[in-house]
Amino acid sequence: MIVSYRWLKELVDLPVSPSELVEILTFLGLEVEETTSFAPLLENVVIGEVVECARVEGSDHLWITRVNVGGETLPIVCGAPNARIGLKAAVMLPGSMTVDGMKVKKAKLRGIESHGMLASERELGLSGDHAGIIEGDATWRVGSAAAEYLNLPDTIYDVEITPNRPDFLSHVGVARDVAAKLKLPWRWPDYRLSEISEPASSFVSVEIKAPEACPRYCARVIRGVKIAPSSFETRLKLTRCGVRPISNIVDATNLLMLEFGQPLHAFDARFVDQREIIVRMAAEGERFVTLDGEEHKLTAQDLLIADASKGIALAGIMGGQNSEIRDDTQDVIIECAYFDPVHVRRTAKLHGMGTESSRRFERGMDPNGVPRVADATAAFMHALGGGDVLRERVDCYPNPIAPRDVAFRPSRAAVVVGIEIPREEIKDTLTRLGCEVREAGEHWQVKCPTWRPDLEREIDLIEEAIRVYGYDKIPMANVSRVPLQGGDDAMSVLRRSVVDVMVSLGFHETLSVSMYAPNERLDPPDMPPGVLLKNPVTDEMPAMQGSLLPHLVRAAAANWQRGDRTLRFFEVARVFHKGKADDPRTWERQTLAALMTGQGHAQNWDQAVKSFDFYDLKAVIEVVAAKLSLDNVEIICYAIDRERVLSGEIRSGSQVIGMWGIWPAGFMSKRDLDGDVGWLELDLGKLSGCRRPDMHYSPLPRFPISWRDIAVVADEELPVGDLLTTIRELGGDFVRMIEPVDLYRGERLGPGKKSVAIRIEFSHPERSLESAEVDGWMKTIVDGLRDRRGAVLR
């Protein structure tokens, strides 16, 4: 929401500066994200009128104008598209300064004398708009100082509005709260309405066929208006608030929306068939073209404003192209209504049409404020465009919405807040915010205004009292510690263990949202689709993630592009997938995903740079398995495919607990990564069932360790892991460690053979081992390798 300091001062006499107001707004719950100040530079700037205007020869955008500035006519070369004869504008005479610090002086452009500048709003520091020169009102006097009309300094606040405060989407709502905080009176905008005797009901009728979706619809009529540009001050107000001025009638609806928060719409009465306004649900498949030229296929759940033969507006969202205000419009029907937030939100999401109007209706407008805004709009349109305002409103309100009564105990506020707020202070605050307070001893009844749908319970009123009284008045205090009962569930404990292990291995944890948008260029191949959402929070994230790897790849690519070449990321989170055809439920599981690429270790002066490879990934899997006490972990490798994408399974016993793989550099370069990328995914639910229930630690050996090295020749296809398993089975209880130390392939071994060197360590907990004992165990191992695995001593 854009809030204007100057506009607020029209509603409340602010005794604070624009910078001081920022702190007040923050304490009231309005987060000020940005401030922009406008301080017009008007010295040596006068009002002029263009009396001649012609194209500069050879140019498609420059004009040579002659401008009457009172007493003399100046030649001025101008590039603005809206330059024309009869235009009254702000003329910067030689010697004046633009807001950017440029000094205006006499010059020649394409050999043509130019004695000044026709200024835009940006050049004078009035706003950020520089699309064209300022178009003055007809009442501006030629030759007078521009400061007489343009001395309009302002500060604009870009504030973040919480969803529960729709009243803050208006200058009136902000002014009301600021006045309550400063204990000042504030005033409603004053629009004087002048009506003729003809009743509006003789011109237009209103019928609500869907009262649950539209509890109230009010129409006013103006006849004989003249479409023209709005006054300069009106256009400047809109521009500073980020709204493009269009014409006086359309500008009136936009300005009153910014002032009161109530969305409005104006119909050209010529195109309202039989001048009947019918509020109904759309027919299934009904086609409707909105003001932006887009055609929409409506559903039976969409609320439509229609006439006797067709739809003319998508309720609460956007008007129709078939009834818009045009340059020759004369009779106008003003719509001021209250639409149900749920219906507006559903339609806006379904058709992807988030507008300023829908944003307000979705939060909940004031159904009982409709008449005031309708009258103000009619009065303002009459002031801008003339015509006659027909008497009274055509107001259809079949089931009035009453203000909510809330029971309130002043003593409860002290208990909740921790400090005593004087009763008179509470009553004054609630009254200033628009509540009616009826005291009855300790039990009050508070009638909450319908512009505050968030005030539903006693605690809401307590929050209002302390919010305005001041959170800063709550003293600092030491909070006593409360012992917590119970403990963490097993999955939470496992999750923390996983995070600790990954961090100890040098991985960085990432955090991402569960929703994402699939992207073939950025995402790795063969990713599970996840679960598509029927009503996503945003179109940019239409699915629940089926894997954590796309997030990790995107994070790695972003860091790679910034020069980081040692990347190790992991995340522990839920992934989602659909059930089978006979089970439509959505399932979720807790998953660990990790990714590594680039250099195998950080660059060091005494170590050669080594690129990541399979053994780095294998080491990570083995350490994770060991640290998490997993039994019988195997790393199974699939065949490499045509693009040299390597992948496989991680098993614990017969249970598949995860997957791993390596994407080659050539494959990942399309995804902004120029190195091999290793990854793994572990299903923590399955993993938890494979952990050893008890972990025990062995003391360091007290007696000397005996070790032997052997080299065996085995078939190339035989995994080294099978050799190690066989040795452990044959070696008995005193085998302390088995470690492969060398791998050799050569012609002397013969085709399809490899040589594996293995170190075996033996240890006894109570005595030193004798050499003969170890030799006997080694003979058993060598014979067993030959008989079981076909591996012979080299």
Side-chain angles (χ1 to χ4, degrees), residues 60-75:
D60 61 353
H61 70 285
L62 291 178
W63 302 90
I64 173 63
T65 68
R66 295 189 64 79
V67 183
N68 176 15
V69 294
E72 62 177 325
T73 301
L74 302 178

Side-chain angles (χ1 to χ4, degrees), residues 153-275:
D154 201 356
T155 297
I156 299 298
Y157 308 98
D158 188 350
V159 298
E160 185 69 25
I161 306 297
T162 56
N164 67 323
R165 290 300 304 271
D167 58 308
F168 273 161
L169 289 168
S170 68
H171 282 78
V172 164
V174 175
R176 183 190 293 114
D177 272 43
V178 170
K181 178 71 174 176
L182 298 177
K183 297 192 180 304
L184 295 172
W186 71 283
R187 49 193 170 270
W188 287 98
D190 185 18
Y191 294 98
R192 303 296 175 86
L193 180 62
S194 176
E195 301 173 318
I196 63 173
S197 59
E198 181 185 352
S201 57
S202 66
F203 187 88
V204 66
S205 65
V206 173
E207 180 184 5
I208 299 177
K209 291 186 175 181
E212 72 288 348
C214 176
R216 186 172 198 174
Y217 193 99
C218 178
R220 290 222 64 144
V221 178
I222 306 181
R223 304 196 63 182
V225 300
K226 181 180 180 182
I227 304 299
S230 300
S231 65
F232 174 76
E233 192 165 349
T234 297
R235 285 183 276 120
L236 183 63
K237 269 186 174 181
L238 292 172
T239 301
R240 284 176 171 175
C241 290
V243 178
R244 180 175 62 90
I246 297 174
S247 68
N248 49 4
I249 300 302
V250 177
D251 292 350
T253 63
N254 288 331
L255 187 135
L256 270 292
M257 178 184 69
L258 295 176
E259 189 160 50
F260 289 97
Q262 170 70 48
L264 299 146
H265 188 65
F267 299 104
D268 187 325
R270 289 177 300 174
F271 307 114
V272 178
D273 189 17
Q274 298 183 33
R275 289 186 288 201

Side-chain angles (χ1 to χ4, degrees), residues 592-612:
L592 161 68
L595 177 147
M596 56 194 304
T597 186
Q599 299 168 358
H601 56 77
Q603 190 167 347
N604 200 311
W605 67 273
D606 65 344
Q607 286 183 299
V609 174
K610 169 186 169 295
S611 295
F612 155 82

Side-chain angles (χ1 to χ4, degrees), residues 30 54 113 183 196 207 217 224 226 235 318 342 421 441 459 461 497 531 547 630 655 721 733 739 761 766:
L30 288 159
E113 291 278 348
K183 297 192 180 304
I196 63 173
E207 180 184 5
Y217 193 99
K226 181 180 180 182
R235 285 183 276 120
M318 189 179 291
V342 174
I421 305 176
I459 193 67
L461 299 177
S497 299
V531 179
S547 170
L630 295 177
Q655 175 85 329
D733 296 335
E739 185 74 24
E761 293 184 357
E766 297 177 355

